[in-house]
Amino acid sequence: MVKFACKKAREIIEELKEYLVDGISTYELELKSIELMKKKKVESAFKGYKGYPANICISVNYEVVHGIPKKGKILKEGDIVSIDVGVKYNGFYGDCADTFPIGKTEVKYIKLIEVARNAFKKSLKAVYSGSKTGNIGYIIENFTKKYGFSVIKEFAGHGIGKNLHLKPEIPNFGEKGKGDILYENQIIAIEPMIAEGTGEIEILQDGWTAVTKDRKFSAHYENCVLIKKDGCEVLS
Ligand code: MF3
Ligand code: CO
């Protein structure tokens, strides 16, 4: 079930969080995630996906998403680190992400992380059968802009179930009443990716890591949500 996969993905993030200390490499977190997935009897949804080389994504500071864990990438006090975990269980996928500071960081980065999380929470008001994806994007974008931050437009949330990425696409911007319609029992991953600066991105030489062009910091929060007749249920 997607519900089970989502629960395991969230547990893995919560357990990895405990290892987020000054001096640890992102590769050590990758190794820990392999161990945790094994223990929980789930597989990575990312490894091998379109050739992605690792089990999880770890994106630090101005990296937005799809950061590849590396031996030489050492986390240090003040960094903000997004961890994205996708797993497969019995043919069903779960996907979630969150961003955490290493030790003490600047107040504005804490705010950035909170706004990503709260943009997700606020968007749930627009999640019910018959609503449209534009209603979700509208809330995320407006909420984010209120704090002077911007949304990343190149990446979006997505449907999820027997595949990691299904229709519809859930952009983090939009217009009320526009976009694809949401149906009862559909499951979607809503994932605000926001940044301090313009929100424009570029992809690094490794072909994966998305970074902000202006090298301003970015935060990511993601959860899967089951669409119900008059509302929704957060699955992780
Ligand atoms: N969590 C990402 C998403 O929702 C997936 C990472 S893509 C991968 O789109 F290639 F890294 F797996
Ligand atoms: Co996703």
Side-chain angles (χ1 to χ4, degrees):
M1 280 172 94
V2 176
K3 224 181 238 190
F4 184 87
C6 287
K7 197 165 160 277
K8 295 297 141 181
R10 179 61 67 191
E11 283 174 17
I12 290 169
I13 289 186
E14 290 303 309
E15 291 180 45
L16 288 175
K17 192 170 92 178
E18 303 303 317
Y19 294 87
L20 288 176
V21 293
D22 183 287
I24 194 166
S25 73
T26 58
Y27 184 71
E28 288 172 89
L29 295 167
E30 160 82 1
L31 291 181
K32 193 71 205 166
S33 79
I34 294 172
E35 193 184 297
L36 289 169
M37 286 184 201
K38 208 170 185 181
K39 196 167 88 188
K40 293 173 192 292
K41 300 183 168 38
V42 296
E43 278 170 57
S44 167
F46 297 167
K47 178 113 196 196
Y49 179 85
K50 294 185 180 168
Y52 184 73
N55 286 266
I56 57 174
C57 302
I58 306 179
S59 311
V60 185
N61 297 344
Y62 60 77
E63 296 172 351
V64 180
V65 285
H66 304 164
I68 303 170
K70 273 195 225 39
K71 283 184 182 154
K73 186 141 187 127
I74 311 294
L75 300 177
K76 58 179 197 308
E77 173 110 7
D79 285 347
I80 60 169
V81 183
S82 114
I83 301 182
D84 192 342
V85 175
V87 304
K88 187 180 177 183
Y89 177 78
N90 247 337
F92 290 93
Y93 288 84
D95 188 8
C96 55
D98 203 353
T99 305
F100 309 99
I102 304 294
K104 271 208 170 65
T105 191
E106 288 181 46
V107 173
K108 62 177 177 174
Y109 299 146
I110 297 292
K111 194 78 221 168
L112 187 69
I113 293 169
E114 275 175 5
V115 170
R117 290 176 184 165
N118 289 331
F120 167 82
K121 278 198 199 113
K122 293 274 176 196
S123 77
L124 296 178
K125 214 169 60 186
V127 186
Y128 51 88
S129 71
S131 182
K132 288 189 166 181
T133 57
N135 299 336
I136 298 173
Y138 175 83
I139 293 175
I140 292 173
E141 185 177 26
N142 272 270
F143 182 79
T144 301
K145 280 184 169 167
K146 236 175 36 189
Y147 293 89
F149 301 135
S150 48
V151 298
I152 310 297
K153 298 195 168 177
E154 283 84 352
F155 296 105
H158 47 90
I160 186 167
K162 289 189 176 182
N163 277 302
L164 176 61
H165 291 144
L166 295 172
K167 283 188 172 167
E169 190 173 273
I170 318 285
N172 291 314
F173 60 97
E175 282 175 61
K176 280 186 194 168
K178 296 273 172 73
D180 294 326
I181 202 159
L182 304 177
Y183 297 100
E184 195 174 351
N185 293 325
Q186 222 176 14
I187 299 172
I188 56 172
I190 301 177
E191 45 181 318
M193 289 156 259
I194 69 170
E196 280 184 276
T198 65
E200 278 183 89
I201 63 129
E202 60 191 359
I203 307 293
L204 295 185
Q205 285 286 331
D206 62 15
W208 280 101
T209 315
V211 299
T212 57
K213 273 193 181 163
D214 55 16
R215 302 300 188 258
K216 300 265 192 187
F217 283 17
S218 170
H220 181 201
Y221 183 81
E222 175 177 23
N223 238 326
C224 294
V225 182
L226 170 65
I227 296 160
K228 298 193 159 181
K229 195 154 187 289
D230 298 305
C232 64
E233 180 186 342
V234 177
L235 298 185
S236 36

